[in-house]
Coordinates of all heavy atoms in Angstrom, one line a residue:
L46 N -21.1 10.6 -34.5 CA -22.4 10.0 -34.0 C -23.0 11.0 -32.9 O -22.2 11.8 -32.4 CB -22.2 8.6 -33.4 CG -21.6 7.6 -34.4 CD1 -21.3 6.3 -33.8 CD2 -22.5 7.5 -35.7
R47 N -24.2 10.8 -32.6 CA -24.9 11.7 -31.7 C -24.2 11.8 -30.4 O -24.1 12.9 -29.8 CB -26.4 11.3 -31.5 CG -27.1 12.2 -30.6 CD -28.6 11.7 -30.5 NE -29.1 11.7 -31.8 CZ -30.3 11.2 -32.1 NH1 -31.1 10.7 -31.1 NH2 -30.8 11.1 -33.3
A48 N -23.8 10.7 -29.8 CA -23.1 10.6 -28.5 C -21.8 11.4 -28.5 O -21.4 11.9 -27.5 CB -22.9 9.2 -28.1
A49 N -21.2 11.5 -29.6 CA -19.9 12.2 -29.7 C -20.1 13.7 -29.7 O -19.2 14.5 -29.2 CB -19.1 11.8 -31.0
R50 N -21.2 14.2 -30.2 CA -21.4 15.6 -30.4 C -21.8 16.2 -29.0 O -21.3 17.3 -28.7 CB -22.5 15.9 -31.4 CG -22.1 15.5 -32.8 CD -23.0 15.9 -33.9 NE -24.4 15.6 -33.7 CZ -25.0 14.4 -34.1 NH1 -24.2 13.5 -34.7 NH2 -26.2 14.2 -33.8
A51 N -22.5 15.6 -28.2 CA -22.9 16.0 -26.8 C -22.9 17.5 -26.6 O -22.2 18.1 -25.9 CB -21.9 15.4 -25.9
G52 N -23.8 18.2 -27.4 CA -24.0 19.6 -27.2 C -23.1 20.5 -28.0 O -23.3 21.7 -28.0
S53 N -22.1 20.0 -28.7 CA -21.2 20.7 -29.6 C -21.6 20.5 -31.0 O -22.3 19.5 -31.3 CB -19.8 20.3 -29.4 OG -19.3 20.6 -28.1
S54 N -21.2 21.4 -31.9 CA -21.6 21.2 -33.3 C -20.5 20.3 -33.9 O -19.4 20.1 -33.4 CB -21.5 22.5 -34.0 OG -20.2 23.0 -34.1
T55 N -20.9 19.7 -35.0 CA -20.0 18.8 -35.8 C -18.8 19.6 -36.2 O -17.7 19.1 -36.2 CB -20.7 18.2 -37.0 OG1 -21.9 17.5 -36.6 CG2 -19.8 17.4 -37.8
E56 N -19.0 20.9 -36.6 CA -17.9 21.7 -37.1 C -16.9 21.9 -36.0 O -15.6 21.8 -36.2 CB -18.4 23.1 -37.6 CG -19.2 23.0 -38.9 CD -20.6 22.6 -38.6 OE1 -21.1 22.5 -37.5 OE2 -21.3 22.3 -39.6
E57 N -17.3 22.1 -34.7 CA -16.4 22.3 -33.6 C -15.6 21.0 -33.3 O -14.4 21.1 -33.2 CB -17.2 22.7 -32.4 CG -17.8 24.1 -32.4 CD -18.7 24.4 -31.2 OE1 -19.3 23.4 -30.7 OE2 -18.8 25.5 -30.9
K58 N -16.3 19.9 -33.3 CA -15.7 18.6 -33.0 C -14.7 18.3 -34.1 O -13.6 17.8 -33.9 CB -16.7 17.5 -32.9 CG -17.5 17.6 -31.7 CD -16.7 17.3 -30.4 CE -17.6 17.3 -29.2 NZ -16.9 17.0 -28.0
A59 N -15.1 18.5 -35.4 CA -14.2 18.2 -36.5 C -13.0 19.1 -36.5 O -11.9 18.6 -36.8 CB -15.0 18.4 -37.8
A60 N -13.1 20.3 -36.2 CA -12.0 21.2 -36.1 C -11.0 20.8 -35.0 O -9.8 20.8 -35.2 CB -12.4 22.7 -35.9
D61 N -11.5 20.4 -33.9 CA -10.7 19.9 -32.8 C -9.9 18.6 -33.2 O -8.7 18.5 -33.0 CB -11.5 19.6 -31.6 CG -12.0 20.8 -30.9 OD1 -11.5 21.9 -31.2 OD2 -13.0 20.7 -30.1
L62 N -10.6 17.7 -33.9 CA -10.0 16.5 -34.3 C -8.9 16.8 -35.4 O -7.8 16.2 -35.3 CB -11.0 15.5 -34.9 CG -10.5 14.1 -35.3 CD1 -9.8 13.4 -34.2 CD2 -11.7 13.3 -35.8
A63 N -9.2 17.7 -36.3 CA -8.2 18.0 -37.3 C -7.0 18.6 -36.7 O -5.8 18.3 -37.2 CB -8.8 19.0 -38.3
E64 N -7.1 19.4 -35.7 CA -6.0 20.0 -35.0 C -5.1 18.9 -34.3 O -3.9 19.0 -34.4 CB -6.5 21.0 -34.0 CG -5.4 21.8 -33.4 CD -5.9 22.9 -32.4 OE1 -6.9 23.6 -32.8 OE2 -5.4 23.0 -31.3
Y65 N -5.8 17.9 -33.7 CA -5.0 16.8 -33.0 C -4.2 16.1 -34.0 O -3.1 15.6 -33.6 CB -6.0 15.9 -32.4 CG -6.5 16.3 -31.0 CD1 -7.9 16.2 -30.8 CD2 -5.7 16.8 -30.0 CE1 -8.4 16.6 -29.5 CE2 -6.2 17.2 -28.8 CZ -7.5 17.1 -28.6 OH -8.0 17.5 -27.4
V66 N -4.6 15.8 -35.2 CA -3.9 15.0 -36.2 C -3.1 15.8 -37.2 O -2.6 15.3 -38.2 CB -4.8 14.0 -36.9 CG1 -5.4 13.0 -35.9 CG2 -5.9 14.7 -37.7
H67 N -3.1 17.2 -37.0 CA -2.4 18.1 -37.9 C -2.9 17.9 -39.4 O -2.1 17.7 -40.3 CB -0.9 17.8 -37.8 CG -0.4 17.9 -36.4 ND1 -0.3 19.1 -35.7 CD2 0.1 16.9 -35.6 CE1 0.2 18.8 -34.5 NE2 0.4 17.5 -34.4
A68 N -4.2 18.0 -39.5 CA -4.8 17.8 -40.8 C -5.6 19.1 -41.1 O -5.9 19.9 -40.3 CB -5.7 16.6 -40.9
D69 N -6.0 19.2 -42.4 CA -6.9 20.3 -42.8 C -8.3 19.8 -42.9 O -8.5 18.7 -43.4 CB -6.5 20.8 -44.2 CG -5.1 21.4 -44.2 OD1 -4.7 22.1 -43.3 OD2 -4.4 21.2 -45.2
L70 N -9.2 20.6 -42.3 CA -10.6 20.3 -42.4 C -11.1 20.8 -43.7 O -11.2 22.0 -43.9 CB -11.4 20.9 -41.2 CG -12.9 20.6 -41.2 CD1 -13.2 19.2 -41.1 CD2 -13.5 21.4 -40.0
I71 N -11.5 19.9 -44.6 CA -11.9 20.3 -46.0 C -13.4 20.7 -46.0 O -13.7 21.7 -46.6 CB -11.6 19.2 -47.0 CG1 -10.1 18.8 -47.0 CG2 -12.1 19.6 -48.4 CD1 -9.2 20.0 -47.3
D72 N -14.2 19.9 -45.4 CA -15.6 20.2 -45.5 C -16.4 19.4 -44.4 O -15.9 18.4 -43.9 CB -16.1 19.6 -46.9 CG -17.5 20.1 -47.2 OD1 -18.0 21.1 -46.7 OD2 -18.1 19.5 -48.1
T73 N -17.5 20.0 -44.0 CA -18.4 19.3 -43.1 C -19.8 19.4 -43.7 O -20.2 20.4 -44.2 CB -18.5 19.9 -41.7 OG1 -18.8 21.2 -41.7 CG2 -17.2 19.7 -40.9
R74 N -20.5 18.3 -43.7 CA -21.9 18.2 -44.2 C -22.7 17.3 -43.3 O -22.3 16.2 -43.1 CB -22.0 17.6 -45.6 CG -21.4 18.6 -46.6 CD -21.6 18.1 -48.0 NE -20.9 19.1 -48.9 CZ -21.5 19.5 -50.0 NH1 -22.7 19.2 -50.3 NH2 -20.8 20.4 -50.7

Side-chain angles (χ1 to χ4, degrees):
L46 303 177
R47 181 177 306 171
R50 294 189 308 272
S53 297
S54 71
T55 300
E56 291 80 12
E57 291 172 331
K58 292 289 186 178
D61 290 343
L62 183 55
E64 189 176 316
Y65 280 131
V66 296
H67 308 289
D69 296 321
L70 179 60
I71 300 302
D72 194 18
T73 57
R74 290 189 184 224

